[in-house]
Amino acid sequence: MSYNRIAVYGHRGWASSAIVNALISSSAPIKVLYRPGSDVSSLPSGVSKVEVDVENRQQLIDALRDIDIVISLVGHEGVERQHAFIKAMPNTDVKLFVPSELGMRAHDEQGRRVPLMKAKEGVQQVAKAAGIRTTAILVGCLIEPAFAGILGVDYLGNRIIFTGDKFKATGQEIFSALEKKYGTSPQKFTHSLEKVENEIQACIKVGNRPTLAWWCRKAWGNGTSVKSVGEDIWEVEGYKKTNITELVVDGKLESYKDLPPPLVSLLNDTFH
């Protein structure tokens, strides 16, 4: 079987490491590009690894010369670095660029003003303007960060925020699962859509970090979060779906990465 030659940028993150491991297991030819000083000791010895300063254009071009597909799995802090790939790709034989989309995607004008989502959309617009074939894989809401407080569910603290009149997407089911998990009712808070709207506008105005959390909570609470995965939805053969009970009550929910203390503090301040 013939495989496309794949370069991956971003291999150490909570989600990206799992994706890279899956790609390696697929037997496709993988080359991991990593920043100077980045730890690659977790990668199998047989995997091609290339240290590259992406801001060094020629160095990046050389690293991409034998590549068909570039997959970016960078986290929030690396989104802007993807522009370096866009500048280098026209000088290579790369056929497809897959920019990082690890989380909910903006589906309204307000969401596109959220700094992180604005930056991600900017990368894709610049790539398309440069004539680079681009595919965005929309994963939607990842449950582990959602339950780490970002979407108003604090799994470890047994707390939940209902946004609006009702938490449309599985809200009561999550509440009941937490209650069964801990043997006591979760601490429950309710935020009106007006309050959340005001918080979003205030955060956007000053560039505050919880902007994304507030916007995602609004989208989840009013039922529009489903729009963030688009309409071209694929069913993965052999993939076993799970449910809230299995994740929360039966303990199948994986541990999420440690959030930066300042962000933890900001998120905790929203539970009131």
Side-chain angles (χ1 to χ4, degrees):
M1 180 182 294
S2 176
Y3 290 95
N4 285 305
R5 299 163 297 177
I6 302 171
V8 179
Y9 184 61
H11 69 280
R12 296 180 58 195
W14 171 79
S16 60
S17 59
I19 295 171
V20 169
N21 288 336
L23 287 170
I24 292 171
S25 298
S26 73
S27 298
I30 305 295
K31 177 190 290 186
V32 175
L33 308 182
Y34 65 96
R35 289 185 292 166
S38 182
D39 184 6
V40 293
S41 61
S42 63
L43 297 171
S45 58
V47 174
S48 175
K49 313 169 195 69
V50 177
E51 181 180 284
V52 58
D53 175 3
V54 297
E55 299 303 331
N56 184 322
R57 188 176 181 184
Q58 189 56 53
Q59 193 178 100
L60 184 54
I61 289 172
D62 291 342
L64 296 177
R65 287 205 185 278
D66 58 348
I67 294 300
D68 300 307
I69 300 173
V70 173
I71 300 177
S72 174
L73 299 172
V74 295
H76 297 186
E77 80 293 339
V79 171
E80 294 292 348
R81 288 201 301 273
Q82 296 176 110
H83 286 280
F85 284 87
I86 297 170
K87 294 175 183 176
M89 284 181 205
N91 299 285
T92 71
D93 293 326
V94 171
K95 301 177 179 66
L96 180 67
F97 176 43
V98 183
S100 182
E101 274 286 0
L102 301 176
M104 288 179 64
R105 189 185 199 188
H107 56 261
D108 61 20
E109 189 56 39
Q110 185 182 63
R112 296 183 185 97
R113 293 172 59 206
V114 174
L116 176 63
M117 294 186 176
K118 182 178 180 180
K120 286 184 176 181
E121 189 161 298
V123 168
Q124 296 181 32
Q125 289 175 345
V126 171
K128 291 176 181 178
I132 297 170
R133 188 180 178 189
T134 304
T135 292
I137 300 176
L138 308 182
V139 300
C141 178
L142 298 172
I143 195 71
E144 283 79 4
F147 279 23
I150 294 175
L151 262 73
V153 180
D154 179 9
Y155 169 71
L156 295 178
N158 197 23
R159 300 182 296 176
I160 187 169
I161 297 173
F162 281 68
T163 300
D165 294 331
K166 59 180 180 177
F167 199 52
K168 290 189 176 181
T170 65
Q172 190 56 50
E173 186 181 356
I174 295 170
F175 183 93
S176 299
L178 286 171
E179 187 173 42
K180 189 172 182 179
K181 171 74 173 178
Y182 291 104
T184 184
S185 293
Q187 191 175 7
K188 177 182 174 181
F189 306 89
T190 300
H191 292 166
S192 68
L193 287 173
E194 181 181 7
K195 170 186 170 53
V196 174
E197 182 68 30
N198 290 337
E199 293 286 356
I200 295 171
Q201 295 296 346
C203 287
I204 289 176
K205 186 176 181 179
V206 300
N208 209 351
R209 195 165 186 177
T211 315
L212 179 62
W214 284 115
W215 181 84
C216 290
R217 292 176 189 183
K218 173 187 172 182
W220 203 4
N222 65 19
T224 60
S225 61
V226 294
K227 295 181 180 180
S228 68
V229 296
E231 298 179 354
D232 185 11
I233 299 175
W234 295 3
E235 293 290 343
V236 179
E237 184 178 353
Y239 179 77
K240 183 181 182 301
K241 296 182 179 181
T242 189
N243 56 51
I244 295 298
T245 298
E246 290 176 335
L247 289 169
V248 176
V249 181
D250 299 341
K252 292 186 177 181
L253 189 69
E254 294 185 8
S255 297
Y256 189 50
K257 65 181 181 181
D258 292 334
L259 295 174
L263 179 57
V264 172
S265 178
L266 287 170
L267 292 174
N268 280 332
D269 287 346
T270 67
F271 282 82
H272 56 76

